[in-house]
């Protein structure tokens, strides 16, 4: 049970099926493609009784761990990366989020205090350039929907042509704000330092980058690609079921728009990821329906490199403050979410476990529930932290080796797209990245503290 009274919302979709747990488990063990009903039976450990059945849960986890071994073996992968989010200014008002700050607080004539930020392209470049010198090779950037952020100058001209751009297309000029965020194209170009992989532009951001135009998502992503974008994160997905989005993010793009955005990115030749943010007001039926949308998208385009389950961090969010939830997902739910994702998504190779969301011990447990990837070094993490996350912002390569070998698995440094992989020597005295443009195996923080190395 999540931290919400699920029947309070009057959802049409509830976790009820005509399938049996035993038949669903048999199909999962045999590697057969599961139906939504099968997934619900596994996610609930049987709809024939309330609560999670501990014995049945272990059977599901065992089946998922075996499937993981069959699909990807015993390697546990991770990347050397940096989070560089451009702005917290946003106009969407999602109830699950505490990352954003209302955009009008950033206006030059506002006297309100706030803890938000906006970075110029030059500032973004400096941040990424410094991180690349330490050895990282991926920068992830997910930002609020700042009214002054546009795709490029052509887009700005189109938005300025509206009679009332603030009301009609959510646009205000940069001079209305204390800090000019530039354009999406300028930010991506700024972050493209020395061949670093830029992972940015969610479907929600792409929708913002084409507002007021008749451009397709494919055209938008092709322009972003030309500016320096290398792959797109499939966040902004939350739960891809309209009745849930109507509760938690009514101002956000809908399920169909999220799918269209992902299609456009893949049509433009970009790899993407897919996510789910669960453990709030949704139920197990919604979770499996979400998995079905992702599996169908992968069937049609094949560009999803990994699936990332994101357990809802509730503490500092409007959903919690307004009493719509009293907590997040339970340990059982987290384990079953990862396990059923592995069993249901038979066409997605990699499932991620998040130390940012779960902490080290639980993140390792989920690697025995079907997951095979353990995120990245991060260096800076702002979204989960602002929502109340308590598990830090950095993991070193040495920590990764210690954690992964503790469960008898092989630590592997990977590229963002998984196409380049480097197994680490677990007997070495120290470990650092080798795949970055300035990486030479020196530990990340050690390199960042050494002026001689930083000046190479």
């Amino acid at each position: 049970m999540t931290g919400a009274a699920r029947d309070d919302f009057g959802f049409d979709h509830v976790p009820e099926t005509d399938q049996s747990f035993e038949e669903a488990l048999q199909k999962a063990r045999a590697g057969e493609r599961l139906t939504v009903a099968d997934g619900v039976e596994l996610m609930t450990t049987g709809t024939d009784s309330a609560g999670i059945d501990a014995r049945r849960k272990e059977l599901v986890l065992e089946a998922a761990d075996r499937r993981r071994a069959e699909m990807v073996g015993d390697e546990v992968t991770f990347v050397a990366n940096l989070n560089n989010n451009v702005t917290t200014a946003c106009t969407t008002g999602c109830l699950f989020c505490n990352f954003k700050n209302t955009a009008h607080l950033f206006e030059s004539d506002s006297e309100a205090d706030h803890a938000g930020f906006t970075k110029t392209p030059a500032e973004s470049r400096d941040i990424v350039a410094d991180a690349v010198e330490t050895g990282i090779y991926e920068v992830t950037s997910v930002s609020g929907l700042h009214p002054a952020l546009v795709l490029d100058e052509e887009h700005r001209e189109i938005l300025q042509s509206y009679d009332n751009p603030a009301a009609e297309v959510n646009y205000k000029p940069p001079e209305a704000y204390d800090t000019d965020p530039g354009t999406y194209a300028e930010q991506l170009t700024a972050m493209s330092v020395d061949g670093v992989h830029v992972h940015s532009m969610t479907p929600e951001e792409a929708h913002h980058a084409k507002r007021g135009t008749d451009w397709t998502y494919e055209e938008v992503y092709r322009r972003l690609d030309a500016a320096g974008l290398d792959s797109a994160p499939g966040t902004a997905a939350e739960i891809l079921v309209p009745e849930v989005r109507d509760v938690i993010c009514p101002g956000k793009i809908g399920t169909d728009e999220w799918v269209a955005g992902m299609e456009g990115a893949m049509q433009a030749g970009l790899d993407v990821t897919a996510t789910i943010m669960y453990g709030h007001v949704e139920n197990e039926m919604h979770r499996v329906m979400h998995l079905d949308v992702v599996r169908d998208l992968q069937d049609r385009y094949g560009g999803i490199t990994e699936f990332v389950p994101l357990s809802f961090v509730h503490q500092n969010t409007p959903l919690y403050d307004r009493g719509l939830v009293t907590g997040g997902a339970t340990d059982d739910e987290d384990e079953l979410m990862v396990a059923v994702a592995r069993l249901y998504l038979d066409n997605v190779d990699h499932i991620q476990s998040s130390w940012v969301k779960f902490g080290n011990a639980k993140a390792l447990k989920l690697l025995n529930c079907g997951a095979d990837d353990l995120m990245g070094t991060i260096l800076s993490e702002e979204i989960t932290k602002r929502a109340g996350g308590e598990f830090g912002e950095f993991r070193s390569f040495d920590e990764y080796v210690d954690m992964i070998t503790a469960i008898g698995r092989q630590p592997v440094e990977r590229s963002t797209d998984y196409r380049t992989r480097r197994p680490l020597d677990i007997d070495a005295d120290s470990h650092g990245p080798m795949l970055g443009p300035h990486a030479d195996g020196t530990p990340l923080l050690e390199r960042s503290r050494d002026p001689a190395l930083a000046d190479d």
Side-chain angles (χ1 to χ4, degrees):
M1 178 69 69
T2 62
R6 293 172 177 163
D7 54 1
D8 287 351
F9 298 100
F11 290 135
D12 291 331
H13 299 288
V14 295
E16 297 175 356
T17 83
D18 294 328
Q19 175 63 294
S20 70
F21 173 82
E22 289 75 16
E23 185 173 349
L25 180 64
Q26 182 179 359
K27 289 176 65 176
R29 285 172 165 170
E32 297 179 32
R33 172 156 281 201
L34 302 179
T35 65
V36 169
D38 294 327
V40 171
E41 289 299 318
L42 299 175
M43 192 82 76
T44 60
T45 65
T47 58
D48 54 348
S49 60
I52 301 297
D53 181 284
R55 182 188 65 85
R56 285 180 168 182
K57 184 194 79 167
E58 290 305 318
L59 295 176
V60 176
L61 303 188
E62 178 185 330
D65 193 46
R66 186 180 300 117
R67 180 71 60 79
R68 181 270 310 161
E70 292 169 352
M71 290 181 70
V72 295
D74 287 332
E75 295 182 344
V76 176
T77 52
F78 57 92
V79 297
N81 68 341
L82 164 79
N83 275 12
N84 179 58
N85 303 315
V86 170
T87 181
T88 61
C90 195
T91 56
T92 307
C94 301
L95 299 185
F96 59 82
C97 180
N98 195 49
F99 173 67
K100 66 183 182 309
N101 300 95
T102 304
H104 72 77
L105 298 178
F106 294 74
E107 294 177 14
S108 302
D109 58 359
S110 173
E111 298 180 357
D113 291 330
H114 64 88
F117 61 84
T118 297
K119 300 168 186 173
T120 66
E123 288 170 332
S124 288
R125 184 170 185 81
D126 288 344
I127 290 167
V128 176
D130 287 346
V132 169
E133 288 295 336
T134 72
I136 69 105
Y137 45 86
E138 174 191 291
V139 56
T140 299
S141 182
V142 176
S143 300
L145 305 183
H146 194 302
L149 258 177
V150 296
L151 176 58
D152 51 26
E153 290 305 326
E154 181 184 356
H155 189 207
R156 190 183 307 283
E157 290 178 9
I158 292 171
L159 297 183
Q160 289 174 334
S161 70
Y162 280 80
D163 292 335
N164 187 354
E168 294 177 88
V169 288
N170 186 24
Y171 173 76
K172 290 185 179 181
E175 51 267 26
Y177 297 90
D178 288 329
T179 302
D180 180 358
T183 68
Y184 283 115
E186 289 170 341
Q187 286 283 353
L188 293 171
T189 298
M191 286 186 270
S192 298
V193 177
D194 291 345
V196 71
H197 184 108
V198 181
H199 184 61
S200 187
M201 296 304 297
T202 71
E204 186 80 30
E205 290 174 291
H207 183 263
H208 194 61
K210 74 184 204 62
R211 67 194 190 279
T213 75
D214 59 0
W215 298 339
T216 65
Y217 281 107
E218 180 180 357
E219 180 175 355
V220 167
Y221 275 110
R222 287 192 182 280
R223 292 190 184 204
L224 295 169
D225 180 18
L229 182 65
D230 295 297
S231 62
T235 49
E238 324 327 337
I239 298 291
L240 294 170
V241 181
E243 64 180 359
V244 176
R245 300 180 81 80
D246 287 345
V247 174
I248 67 170
C249 52
K252 207 164 193 173
I253 60 172
T255 297
D256 291 345
E257 282 290 325
W258 183 90
V259 171
M262 287 287 91
E263 290 173 341
M266 287 184 280
Q267 287 167 339
L270 297 170
D271 287 331
V272 300
T273 61
T275 66
I276 183 172
M277 195 270 290
Y278 66 95
H280 37 87
V281 307
E282 90 295 342
N283 60 48
E284 296 91 346
M285 176 63 78
H286 296 130
R287 296 175 192 172
V288 181
M289 292 172 67
H290 180 109
L291 293 176
D292 200 59
V293 172
V294 173
R295 190 175 71 182
D296 175 71
L297 183 61
Q298 183 74 332
D299 277 345
R300 291 184 290 115
Y301 289 94
I304 300 173
T305 59
E306 65 182 5
F307 182 71
V308 185
L310 301 170
S311 192
F312 175 57
V313 178
H314 68 279
Q315 287 90 335
N316 298 332
T317 65
L319 280 175
Y320 180 69
D321 291 342
R322 299 181 189 185
L324 295 174
V325 301
T326 56
T330 65
D331 288 346
D332 286 340
E333 288 180 298
D334 288 328
E335 292 169 8
L336 286 165
M337 183 71 246
V338 169
V340 176
R342 170 60 73 187
L343 295 168
Y344 201 90
L345 299 177
D346 52 23
N347 54 5
V348 178
D349 287 340
H350 304 290
I351 308 290
Q352 190 175 98
S353 176
S354 168
W355 57 259
V356 171
K357 299 289 185 184
F358 302 120
N360 289 355
K362 189 170 174 181
L364 290 177
K365 166 65 174 175
L366 295 174
L367 292 172
N368 291 320
C369 300
D372 69 297
D373 185 75
L374 200 54
M375 297 187 63
T377 55
I378 302 296
L379 295 185
S380 172
E381 204 296 316
E382 295 149 332
I383 298 174
T384 297
K385 180 174 65 176
R386 285 165 68 98
E390 302 172 347
F391 298 116
E393 301 179 60
F394 175 73
R395 291 296 179 274
S396 70
F397 271 47
D398 285 338
E399 288 174 308
Y400 267 119
V401 170
D402 289 344
M403 291 165 62
I404 295 166
T405 56
I407 62 170
R409 305 271 281 279
Q410 170 64 51
V412 174
E413 179 186 10
R414 67 164 173 90
S415 59
T416 304
D417 60 14
Y418 288 86
R419 293 180 178 94
T420 303
R421 308 159 77 90
R422 180 180 73 96
L424 274 70
D425 178 0
I426 63 175
D427 295 321
D429 292 335
S430 64
H431 304 87
M434 290 289 289
L435 303 184
H438 297 292
D440 60 4
T442 303
L444 287 166
L445 294 188
E446 181 179 317
R447 185 182 181 97
S448 68
R449 288 193 295 263
D450 188 330
L453 288 171
D455 290 338
D456 285 352

